[in-house]
Amino acid sequence: MNKKKTLATLIILAGILQSIVVYSQTDVSNAWTADNGDGTYTNPILHADYSDPDVVRVGEDYYMTSSSFNCVPGLPILHSKDLVNWNLIGYALEKQIPDDVFNIPQHGNGVWAPSIRYHNDEFYIYYPDPDFGIYFTKAAIPEGPWSTPVLVKGGKGLIDPSPLWDDDGRAYLTFAFAGSRARVKSVVMVQEMTTDGASVVGSEVIVFDGHDEHPTVEGPKLYKANGYYYIFAPAGGVSTGWQIVLRSKNVFGPYEVRTVMTQGKTDINGPHQGAWVDTKTGEHWFIHFQDKEAYGRIVHLNPMTWTDDWPVIGIDEDRDGVGQPVLVCKKPNVGKIYPIAAPPVSDEFNGSSMGLQWQWHANPHYSYGFPSGNLGFFRLNCVVRPATNHGLWMVPNLLMQKFPAEEFSATTKLRFTPRTENEEVGFVVMGEDYQYISLKQKEDRLIIRVVKCENARTGGQEEELHSETFNGNEVFFRIQVDKGAICSFSYSEDGKHFEPVGDDLKAKPGRWIGSKIGYFALGEEITNDSGTVDIDWFRIEKTNEVK
């Protein structure tokens, strides 16, 4: 069997395996489900911060990736059979490079808007680091392993790449600029690449200037269909923008431009930046984000139709060629019906590897923590705090996951074994404002604390809201998130009766990411035997189901 047939067989087998394993799961997240079970779905399809999504179809399978910024592992890989039900199956980046930079938190830096493509029986992801340039990584199957990233085009301020392999075998790359680094913005570029996609050749060509009518145009995605080259791009800014499409008979232009989706009369602000995909049955769909502040850039799915070789996204009630996003819609016709699925959120910590829902705030070190296999807990070690006055902002060993829904309750059981004065373990909602409930070793006793910090990115200081002595080293912590990202904190000694403590927090996003929830374990002294916290479980429930 030749190499191409072998790779194709691997892809088919991977899809079958995902159908058996992923879609047979019974532990589907109950926090957010887009599938209404009656042939329709309700947006968003993912009420979680999978920002700047891009999607590719391979046969009957859909694969999504998204920005991950400073969070590690990075470049999440999600899989779906029907574009509505998604499961998280892995990551393309185990760590970020250069190591010496990303071993400490780089808030707002790292992986910006990526694109995912399938070419010559391999998956490719192109992603930008606005401080270093445009990289690509590739894999035979989406679960990996993914190759070491290759720098395709170096330079500050290069963002949002998207490749296209043309019918004649030539390859092209479209990208944009981050004004914060390049001092140039609101333009779209195209440049030829070598056929292997590993480097650029020739000059960068400006194909669109959005300054007059479409400022902050970025996030371009390059396609070819109907005899045209199409560039799908957002404009107008993250939270208030719109979706435009460019088209030309020549990859280097000139391009016509049309606005194809705006907020319209809906409550869905800034519906833009994403992926055009089709189904084997001939339907067309557009996946994009909506910026929802503390919840991050949540993911929507909209139908797409064509008029005179121009796409129209969403519902075009007045037939002017400009759609607006849908809230409830008939599911895509993919030829079959698949069970409800969702990315994992709860974790019993019974495995031999870290759950895919968890990310660190910087490249991880083996000393931060590890699973215990059949012992049934995840252990975090009390790492010495960084020598800064920024509280948790510059702490790398934050073990976090995304907010999974608009309203939910997160409860955890843990056992703290301190060995040095001032060691502390906490359950935190993290963003530019953050708040945590913790156990801290103080003068040979344990105290429960609630601590808040406002404006952490600009040097805000922590404020203790509550403190009391706690008897024992096993505790249950709970954080309840209500509409508007209002977070309340409580604790329990028996897991049944919870005592509210401290003030509520109105969660705020981090730097280009939504609020996250998770853990820290810290100390203040260098020692040869750090304290530990063994996390027994972490469980997400709908707010109205909390006992």
Side-chain angles (χ1 to χ4, degrees), residues 289-434:
F289 75 73
Q290 172 199 5
D291 181 71
K292 200 171 177 181
E293 299 181 343
Y295 299 99
R297 303 178 195 180
I298 61 177
V299 182
H300 289 244
L301 174 67
N302 269 278
M304 192 172 99
T305 56
W306 292 87
T307 301
D308 298 327
D309 290 329
W310 283 105
V312 179
I313 300 173
I315 301 299
D316 181 13
E317 293 180 340
D318 56 9
R319 299 190 179 185
D320 64 351
V322 182
Q324 65 180 32
V326 300
L327 182 61
V328 179
C329 187
K330 184 178 179 181
K331 290 172 60 178
N333 176 13
V334 294
K336 299 178 184 177
I337 297 175
Y338 292 94
I340 292 173
V345 289
S346 297
D347 200 336
E348 297 298 311
F349 299 110
N350 291 330
S352 58
S353 60
M354 191 170 76
L356 292 175
Q357 62 267 54
W358 300 105
Q359 294 173 292
W360 302 97
H361 253 30
N363 283 341
H365 189 270
Y366 60 81
S367 65
Y368 292 173
F370 16 77
S372 66
N374 293 331
L375 296 179
F377 59 82
F378 192 93
R379 172 165 292 179
L380 292 178
N381 300 307
C382 291
V383 175
V384 176
R385 291 177 182 270
T388 68
N389 293 319
H390 292 289
L392 297 182
W393 188 249
M394 293 305 296
V395 169
N397 60 315
L398 299 182
L399 183 63
M400 314 293 292
Q401 66 167 277
K402 308 173 191 299
F403 276 20
E406 186 174 37
E407 298 179 276
F408 65 95
S409 179
T411 308
T412 188
K413 179 184 179 183
L414 53 84
R415 178 184 293 271
F416 182 32
T417 306
R419 297 186 176 91
T420 305
E421 183 77 354
N422 291 319
E423 288 182 325
E424 186 172 22
V425 299
F427 196 37
V428 60
V429 170
M430 190 66 194
E432 292 201 11
D433 290 359
Y434 67 80

Side-chain angles (χ1 to χ4, degrees), residues 485-532:
I486 304 299
C487 308
S488 57
F489 297 73
S490 59
Y491 77 93
S492 173
E493 296 182 45
D494 59 8
K496 298 178 182 178
H497 305 94
F498 281 81
E499 183 69 25
V501 283
D503 299 332
D504 289 349
L505 167 75
K506 181 174 175 56
K508 290 189 177 180
R511 189 64 171 164
W512 309 135
I513 63 175
S515 294
K516 303 188 82 170
I517 187 168
Y519 304 92
F520 68 84
L522 296 169
E524 295 183 0
E525 299 179 27
I526 296 176
T527 174
N528 66 358
D529 193 14
S530 298
T532 60

Side-chain angles (χ1 to χ4, degrees), residues 151-301:
L151 186 62
V152 178
K153 183 178 176 65
K156 280 185 174 291
L158 304 175
I159 60 169
D160 305 351
S162 173
L164 173 72
W165 282 271
D166 210 342
D167 303 331
D168 60 4
R170 299 174 76 175
Y172 301 95
L173 186 72
T174 185
F175 58 92
F177 293 111
S180 59
R181 274 82 160 179
R183 308 305 176 199
V184 176
K185 61 178 291 186
S186 297
V187 295
V188 175
M189 312 297 292
V190 172
Q191 187 170 7
E192 189 169 358
M193 294 193 294
T194 53
T195 56
D196 62 1
S199 60
V200 290
V201 295
S203 299
E204 309 94 339
V205 176
I206 181 172
V207 298
F208 181 70
D209 185 337
H211 282 91
D212 291 339
E213 297 182 2
H214 301 288
T216 319
V217 62
E218 56 189 6
K221 296 292 190 297
L222 181 58
Y223 307 95
K224 189 176 184 182
N226 311 322
Y228 288 96
Y229 295 91
Y230 291 94
I231 298 177
F232 285 53
V238 170
S239 61
T240 58
W242 53 90
Q243 184 70 29
I244 66 172
V245 169
L246 316 176
R247 77 174 187 183
S248 174
K249 292 288 187 177
N250 188 298
V251 71
F252 291 114
Y255 280 86
E256 305 170 83
V257 60
R258 178 174 290 188
T259 299
V260 296
M261 182 170 61
T262 67
Q263 179 176 344
K265 300 176 182 178
T266 75
D267 294 327
I268 302 169
N269 58 292
H272 62 1
Q273 188 152 349
W276 161 28
V277 290
D278 63 2
T279 68
K280 293 190 74 174
T281 61
E283 294 181 347
H284 296 261
W285 295 84
F286 188 69
I287 288 180
H288 63 91
F289 75 73
Q290 172 199 5
D291 181 71
K292 200 171 177 181
E293 299 181 343
Y295 299 99
R297 303 178 195 180
I298 61 177
V299 182
H300 289 244
L301 174 67

Side-chain angles (χ1 to χ4, degrees), residues 454-468:
E454 296 182 346
N455 304 311
R457 182 172 67 89
T458 54
Q461 300 297 301
E462 292 189 346
E463 174 190 2
E464 186 175 81
L465 303 179
H466 179 84
S467 176
E468 66 177 90

